[in-house]
PDB file of all heavy atoms in Angstrom:
ATOM      1  N   GLU O 214     -42.350 173.275 118.831  1.00  0.00           N
ATOM      2  CA  GLU O 214     -42.948 172.004 118.368  1.00  0.00           C
ATOM      3  C   GLU O 214     -41.868 171.033 117.883  1.00  0.00           C
ATOM      4  O   GLU O 214     -41.929 169.834 118.148  1.00  0.00           O
ATOM      5  CB  GLU O 214     -43.960 172.249 117.234  1.00  0.00           C
ATOM      6  CG  GLU O 214     -45.260 172.899 117.664  1.00  0.00           C
ATOM      7  CD  GLU O 214     -45.084 174.357 118.105  1.00  0.00           C
ATOM      8  OE1 GLU O 214     -44.139 175.032 117.621  1.00  0.00           O
ATOM      9  OE2 GLU O 214     -45.882 174.814 118.947  1.00  0.00           O
ATOM     10  N   GLU O 215     -40.869 171.571 117.167  1.00  0.00           N
ATOM     11  CA  GLU O 215     -39.794 170.702 116.662  1.00  0.00           C
ATOM     12  C   GLU O 215     -39.003 170.105 117.824  1.00  0.00           C
ATOM     13  O   GLU O 215     -38.687 168.912 117.825  1.00  0.00           O
ATOM     14  CB  GLU O 215     -38.845 171.497 115.767  1.00  0.00           C
ATOM     15  CG  GLU O 215     -39.402 171.768 114.383  1.00  0.00           C
ATOM     16  CD  GLU O 215     -38.557 172.799 113.620  1.00  0.00           C
ATOM     17  OE1 GLU O 215     -37.896 173.660 114.257  1.00  0.00           O
ATOM     18  OE2 GLU O 215     -38.574 172.749 112.389  1.00  0.00           O
ATOM     19  N   ALA O 216     -38.700 170.943 118.812  1.00  0.00           N
ATOM     20  CA  ALA O 216     -37.943 170.451 119.966  1.00  0.00           C
ATOM     21  C   ALA O 216     -38.763 169.407 120.716  1.00  0.00           C
ATOM     22  O   ALA O 216     -38.239 168.356 121.129  1.00  0.00           O
ATOM     23  CB  ALA O 216     -37.575 171.608 120.889  1.00  0.00           C
ATOM     24  N   ALA O 217     -40.048 169.679 120.896  1.00  0.00           N
ATOM     25  CA  ALA O 217     -40.925 168.736 121.608  1.00  0.00           C
ATOM     26  C   ALA O 217     -40.948 167.398 120.879  1.00  0.00           C
ATOM     27  O   ALA O 217     -40.777 166.338 121.487  1.00  0.00           O
ATOM     28  CB  ALA O 217     -42.334 169.310 121.712  1.00  0.00           C
ATOM     29  N   ARG O 218     -41.109 167.465 119.562  1.00  0.00           N
ATOM     30  CA  ARG O 218     -41.235 166.240 118.758  1.00  0.00           C
ATOM     31  C   ARG O 218     -39.921 165.457 118.734  1.00  0.00           C
ATOM     32  O   ARG O 218     -39.892 164.259 118.961  1.00  0.00           O
ATOM     33  CB  ARG O 218     -41.673 166.617 117.334  1.00  0.00           C
ATOM     34  CG  ARG O 218     -42.165 165.425 116.521  1.00  0.00           C
ATOM     35  CD  ARG O 218     -42.756 165.849 115.191  1.00  0.00           C
ATOM     36  NE  ARG O 218     -41.865 166.694 114.396  1.00  0.00           N
ATOM     37  CZ  ARG O 218     -42.144 167.958 114.046  1.00  0.00           C
ATOM     38  NH1 ARG O 218     -43.284 168.513 114.416  1.00  0.00           N
ATOM     39  NH2 ARG O 218     -41.289 168.666 113.319  1.00  0.00           N
ATOM     40  N   ASN O 219     -38.820 166.164 118.504  1.00  0.00           N
ATOM     41  CA  ASN O 219     -37.554 165.471 118.268  1.00  0.00           C
ATOM     42  C   ASN O 219     -36.817 165.056 119.533  1.00  0.00           C
ATOM     43  O   ASN O 219     -35.983 164.161 119.493  1.00  0.00           O
ATOM     44  CB  ASN O 219     -36.622 166.339 117.413  1.00  0.00           C
ATOM     45  CG  ASN O 219     -37.210 166.594 116.045  1.00  0.00           C
ATOM     46  OD1 ASN O 219     -38.049 165.830 115.587  1.00  0.00           O
ATOM     47  ND2 ASN O 219     -36.795 167.668 115.399  1.00  0.00           N
ATOM     48  N   TYR O 220     -37.082 165.726 120.650  1.00  0.00           N
ATOM     49  CA  TYR O 220     -36.291 165.449 121.854  1.00  0.00           C
ATOM     50  C   TYR O 220     -37.094 164.950 123.048  1.00  0.00           C
ATOM     51  O   TYR O 220     -36.527 164.549 124.037  1.00  0.00           O
ATOM     52  CB  TYR O 220     -35.482 166.683 122.259  1.00  0.00           C
ATOM     53  CG  TYR O 220     -34.258 166.792 121.414  1.00  0.00           C
ATOM     54  CD1 TYR O 220     -34.312 167.458 120.202  1.00  0.00           C
ATOM     55  CD2 TYR O 220     -33.077 166.153 121.779  1.00  0.00           C
ATOM     56  CE1 TYR O 220     -33.211 167.509 119.372  1.00  0.00           C
ATOM     57  CE2 TYR O 220     -31.975 166.196 120.959  1.00  0.00           C
ATOM     58  CZ  TYR O 220     -32.044 166.874 119.760  1.00  0.00           C
ATOM     59  OH  TYR O 220     -30.954 166.904 118.942  1.00  0.00           O
ATOM     60  N   PHE O 221     -38.379 165.026 123.010  1.00  0.00           N
ATOM     61  CA  PHE O 221     -39.171 164.630 124.179  1.00  0.00           C
ATOM     62  C   PHE O 221     -40.120 163.494 123.817  1.00  0.00           C
ATOM     63  O   PHE O 221     -40.047 162.410 124.392  1.00  0.00           O
ATOM     64  CB  PHE O 221     -39.934 165.852 124.730  1.00  0.00           C
ATOM     65  CG  PHE O 221     -38.991 166.885 125.293  1.00  0.00           C
ATOM     66  CD1 PHE O 221     -38.332 167.799 124.468  1.00  0.00           C
ATOM     67  CD2 PHE O 221     -38.716 166.931 126.647  1.00  0.00           C
ATOM     68  CE1 PHE O 221     -37.434 168.730 124.979  1.00  0.00           C
ATOM     69  CE2 PHE O 221     -37.821 167.860 127.183  1.00  0.00           C
ATOM     70  CZ  PHE O 221     -37.176 168.759 126.345  1.00  0.00           C
ATOM     71  N   VAL O 222     -40.945 163.743 122.815  1.00  0.00           N
ATOM     72  CA  VAL O 222     -41.945 162.748 122.440  1.00  0.00           C
ATOM     73  C   VAL O 222     -41.286 161.469 121.910  1.00  0.00           C
ATOM     74  O   VAL O 222     -41.803 160.367 122.104  1.00  0.00           O
ATOM     75  CB  VAL O 222     -42.901 163.393 121.398  1.00  0.00           C
ATOM     76  CG1 VAL O 222     -43.738 162.360 120.696  1.00  0.00           C
ATOM     77  CG2 VAL O 222     -43.798 164.414 122.099  1.00  0.00           C
ATOM     78  N   THR O 223     -40.114 161.582 121.313  1.00  0.00           N
ATOM     79  CA  THR O 223     -39.426 160.397 120.766  1.00  0.00           C
ATOM     80  C   THR O 223     -39.005 159.422 121.856  1.00  0.00           C
ATOM     81  O   THR O 223     -38.750 158.260 121.575  1.00  0.00           O
ATOM     82  CB  THR O 223     -38.157 160.803 119.976  1.00  0.00           C
ATOM     83  OG1 THR O 223     -37.462 161.761 120.748  1.00  0.00           O
ATOM     84  CG2 THR O 223     -38.484 161.341 118.617  1.00  0.00           C
ATOM     85  N   ASP O 224     -38.923 159.892 123.115  1.00  0.00           N
ATOM     86  CA  ASP O 224     -38.590 158.986 124.224  1.00  0.00           C
ATOM     87  C   ASP O 224     -39.692 157.975 124.478  1.00  0.00           C
ATOM     88  O   ASP O 224     -39.480 156.978 125.159  1.00  0.00           O
ATOM     89  CB  ASP O 224     -38.447 159.782 125.537  1.00  0.00           C
ATOM     90  CG  ASP O 224     -37.090 160.450 125.654  1.00  0.00           C
ATOM     91  OD1 ASP O 224     -36.272 160.260 124.745  1.00  0.00           O
ATOM     92  OD2 ASP O 224     -36.868 161.156 126.650  1.00  0.00           O
ATOM     93  N   MET O 225     -40.885 158.291 124.003  1.00  0.00           N
ATOM     94  CA  MET O 225     -42.031 157.461 124.384  1.00  0.00           C
ATOM     95  C   MET O 225     -42.554 156.666 123.197  1.00  0.00           C
ATOM     96  O   MET O 225     -42.834 157.247 122.137  1.00  0.00           O
ATOM     97  CB  MET O 225     -43.141 158.362 124.953  1.00  0.00           C
ATOM     98  CG  MET O 225     -42.728 158.973 126.285  1.00  0.00           C
ATOM     99  SD  MET O 225     -43.952 160.094 126.971  1.00  0.00           S
ATOM    100  CE  MET O 225     -43.664 161.535 125.985  1.00  0.00           C
ATOM    101  N   PRO O 226     -42.699 155.319 123.351  1.00  0.00           N
ATOM    102  CA  PRO O 226     -43.209 154.506 122.256  1.00  0.00           C
ATOM    103  C   PRO O 226     -44.540 154.999 121.707  1.00  0.00           C
ATOM    104  O   PRO O 226     -44.823 154.823 120.519  1.00  0.00           O
ATOM    105  CB  PRO O 226     -43.358 153.120 122.902  1.00  0.00           C
ATOM    106  CG  PRO O 226     -42.316 153.111 123.968  1.00  0.00           C
ATOM    107  CD  PRO O 226     -42.281 154.518 124.505  1.00  0.00           C
ATOM    108  N   THR O 227     -45.362 155.613 122.532  1.00  0.00           N
ATOM    109  CA  THR O 227     -46.658 156.128 122.067  1.00  0.00           C
ATOM    110  C   THR O 227     -46.505 157.374 121.200  1.00  0.00           C
ATOM    111  O   THR O 227     -47.462 157.798 120.543  1.00  0.00           O
ATOM    112  CB  THR O 227     -47.549 156.494 123.265  1.00  0.00           C
ATOM    113  OG1 THR O 227     -46.746 157.230 124.198  1.00  0.00           O
ATOM    114  CG2 THR O 227     -48.105 155.264 123.955  1.00  0.00           C
ATOM    115  N   ARG O 228     -45.304 157.978 121.245  1.00  0.00           N
ATOM    116  CA  ARG O 228     -45.017 159.191 120.458  1.00  0.00           C
ATOM    117  C   ARG O 228     -46.007 160.322 120.729  1.00  0.00           C
ATOM    118  O   ARG O 228     -46.419 161.046 119.825  1.00  0.00           O
ATOM    119  CB  ARG O 228     -44.999 158.883 118.951  1.00  0.00           C
ATOM    120  CG  ARG O 228     -43.934 157.878 118.560  1.00  0.00           C
ATOM    121  CD  ARG O 228     -42.522 158.464 118.609  1.00  0.00           C
ATOM    122  NE  ARG O 228     -41.539 157.539 118.075  1.00  0.00           N
ATOM    123  CZ  ARG O 228     -40.870 156.632 118.824  1.00  0.00           C
ATOM    124  NH1 ARG O 228     -41.055 156.554 120.130  1.00  0.00           N
ATOM    125  NH2 ARG O 228     -40.004 155.812 118.255  1.00  0.00           N
ATOM    126  N   ARG O 229     -46.382 160.459 121.995  1.00  0.00           N
ATOM    127  CA  ARG O 229     -47.188 161.607 122.419  1.00  0.00           C
ATOM    128  C   ARG O 229     -46.919 161.866 123.884  1.00  0.00           C
ATOM    129  O   ARG O 229     -46.521 160.952 124.626  1.00  0.00           O
ATOM    130  CB  ARG O 229     -48.690 161.380 122.165  1.00  0.00           C
ATOM    131  CG  ARG O 229     -49.283 160.223 122.934  1.00  0.00           C
ATOM    132  CD  ARG O 229     -50.804 160.179 122.827  1.00  0.00           C
ATOM    133  NE  ARG O 229     -51.358 159.061 123.579  1.00  0.00           N
ATOM    134  CZ  ARG O 229     -51.543 159.050 124.895  1.00  0.00           C
ATOM    135  NH1 ARG O 229     -51.203 160.088 125.637  1.00  0.00           N
ATOM    136  NH2 ARG O 229     -52.048 157.988 125.494  1.00  0.00           N
ATOM    137  N   PHE O 230     -47.119 163.115 124.295  1.00  0.00           N
ATOM    138  CA  PHE O 230     -46.977 163.415 125.713  1.00  0.00           C
ATOM    139  C   PHE O 230     -48.036 162.664 126.503  1.00  0.00           C
ATOM    140  O   PHE O 230     -49.163 162.460 126.028  1.00  0.00           O
ATOM    141  CB  PHE O 230     -47.148 164.924 125.951  1.00  0.00           C
ATOM    142  CG  PHE O 230     -45.947 165.745 125.581  1.00  0.00           C
ATOM    143  CD1 PHE O 230     -45.935 166.525 124.430  1.00  0.00           C
ATOM    144  CD2 PHE O 230     -44.808 165.738 126.383  1.00  0.00           C
ATOM    145  CE1 PHE O 230     -44.820 167.279 124.083  1.00  0.00           C
ATOM    146  CE2 PHE O 230     -43.691 166.484 126.051  1.00  0.00           C
ATOM    147  CZ  PHE O 230     -43.690 167.259 124.890  1.00  0.00           C
ATOM    148  N   VAL O 231     -47.676 162.276 127.726  1.00  0.00           N
ATOM    149  CA  VAL O 231     -48.677 161.773 128.673  1.00  0.00           C
ATOM    150  C   VAL O 231     -49.530 162.978 129.076  1.00  0.00           C
ATOM    151  O   VAL O 231     -49.027 164.097 129.197  1.00  0.00           O
ATOM    152  CB  VAL O 231     -47.981 161.166 129.917  1.00  0.00           C
ATOM    153  CG1 VAL O 231     -48.997 160.782 130.980  1.00  0.00           C
ATOM    154  CG2 VAL O 231     -47.116 159.967 129.518  1.00  0.00           C
ATOM    155  N   GLU O 232     -50.827 162.762 129.242  1.00  0.00           N
ATOM    156  CA  GLU O 232     -51.737 163.859 129.613  1.00  0.00           C
ATOM    157  C   GLU O 232     -51.867 163.925 131.135  1.00  0.00           C
ATOM    158  O   GLU O 232     -51.832 162.887 131.806  1.00  0.00           O
ATOM    159  CB  GLU O 232     -53.136 163.610 129.020  1.00  0.00           C
ATOM    160  CG  GLU O 232     -53.160 163.400 127.518  1.00  0.00           C
ATOM    161  CD  GLU O 232     -53.181 164.707 126.747  1.00  0.00           C
ATOM    162  OE1 GLU O 232     -53.473 165.758 127.348  1.00  0.00           O
ATOM    163  OE2 GLU O 232     -52.888 164.659 125.541  1.00  0.00           O
ATOM    164  N   THR O 233     -52.057 165.140 131.638  1.00  0.00           N
ATOM    165  CA  THR O 233     -52.166 165.289 133.105  1.00  0.00           C
ATOM    166  C   THR O 233     -53.323 164.448 133.663  1.00  0.00           C
ATOM    167  O   THR O 233     -53.189 163.851 134.734  1.00  0.00           O
ATOM    168  CB  THR O 233     -52.373 166.765 133.511  1.00  0.00           C
ATOM    169  OG1 THR O 233     -53.526 167.276 132.843  1.00  0.00           O
ATOM    170  CG2 THR O 233     -51.167 167.619 133.182  1.00  0.00           C
ATOM    171  N   HIS O 234     -54.437 164.392 132.922  1.00  0.00           N
ATOM    172  CA  HIS O 234     -55.591 163.650 133.469  1.00  0.00           C
ATOM    173  C   HIS O 234     -55.339 162.143 133.498  1.00  0.00           C
ATOM    174  O   HIS O 234     -55.984 161.407 134.260  1.00  0.00           O
ATOM    175  CB  HIS O 234     -56.885 164.008 132.711  1.00  0.00           C
ATOM    176  CG  HIS O 234     -56.932 163.514 131.298  1.00  0.00           C
ATOM    177  ND1 HIS O 234     -57.273 162.230 130.979  1.00  0.00           N
ATOM    178  CD2 HIS O 234     -56.664 164.132 130.131  1.00  0.00           C
ATOM    179  CE1 HIS O 234     -57.229 162.075 129.660  1.00  0.00           C
ATOM    180  NE2 HIS O 234     -56.845 163.222 129.128  1.00  0.00           N
ATOM    181  N   GLU O 235     -54.381 161.686 132.693  1.00  0.00           N
ATOM    182  CA  GLU O 235     -54.050 160.249 132.729  1.00  0.00           C
ATOM    183  C   GLU O 235     -53.288 159.912 134.015  1.00  0.00           C
ATOM    184  O   GLU O 235     -53.480 158.840 134.604  1.00  0.00           O
ATOM    185  CB  GLU O 235     -53.235 159.879 131.484  1.00  0.00           C
ATOM    186  CG  GLU O 235     -54.046 160.032 130.207  1.00  0.00           C
ATOM    187  CD  GLU O 235     -53.221 159.928 128.926  1.00  0.00           C
ATOM    188  OE1 GLU O 235     -51.999 160.200 128.939  1.00  0.00           O
ATOM    189  OE2 GLU O 235     -53.808 159.575 127.903  1.00  0.00           O
ATOM    190  N   VAL O 236     -52.438 160.822 134.446  1.00  0.00           N
ATOM    191  CA  VAL O 236     -51.738 160.611 135.731  1.00  0.00           C
ATOM    192  C   VAL O 236     -52.773 160.697 136.863  1.00  0.00           C
ATOM    193  O   VAL O 236     -52.754 159.897 137.803  1.00  0.00           O
ATOM    194  CB  VAL O 236     -50.615 161.652 135.934  1.00  0.00           C
ATOM    195  CG1 VAL O 236     -49.863 161.360 137.234  1.00  0.00           C
ATOM    196  CG2 VAL O 236     -49.661 161.674 134.740  1.00  0.00           C
ATOM    197  N   ALA O 237     -53.690 161.660 136.738  1.00  0.00           N
ATOM    198  CA  ALA O 237     -54.728 161.829 137.772  1.00  0.00           C
ATOM    199  C   ALA O 237     -55.590 160.569 137.893  1.00  0.00           C
ATOM    200  O   ALA O 237     -55.974 160.172 138.999  1.00  0.00           O
ATOM    201  CB  ALA O 237     -55.593 163.051 137.444  1.00  0.00           C
ATOM    202  N   ALA O 238     -55.886 159.941 136.772  1.00  0.00           N
ATOM    203  CA  ALA O 238     -56.717 158.722 136.805  1.00  0.00           C
ATOM    204  C   ALA O 238     -56.006 157.612 137.574  1.00  0.00           C
ATOM    205  O   ALA O 238     -56.630 156.855 138.329  1.00  0.00           O
ATOM    206  CB  ALA O 238     -57.043 158.277 135.380  1.00  0.00           C
ATOM    207  N   ALA O 239     -54.689 157.518 137.401  1.00  0.00           N
ATOM    208  CA  ALA O 239     -53.915 156.502 138.140  1.00  0.00           C
ATOM    209  C   ALA O 239     -53.960 156.796 139.639  1.00  0.00           C
ATOM    210  O   ALA O 239     -54.129 155.888 140.463  1.00  0.00           O
ATOM    211  CB  ALA O 239     -52.468 156.481 137.634  1.00  0.00           C
TER     212      ALA O 239
END
Side-chain angles (χ1 to χ4, degrees):
E214 288 69 28
E215 283 168 333
R218 194 173 53 243
N219 297 337
Y220 280 87
F221 293 81
V222 165
T223 45
D224 279 358
M225 292 177 282
T227 46
R228 299 287 187 269
R229 62 171 180 80
F230 283 106
V231 174
E232 305 276 344
T233 56
H234 69 81
E235 295 169 335
V236 183

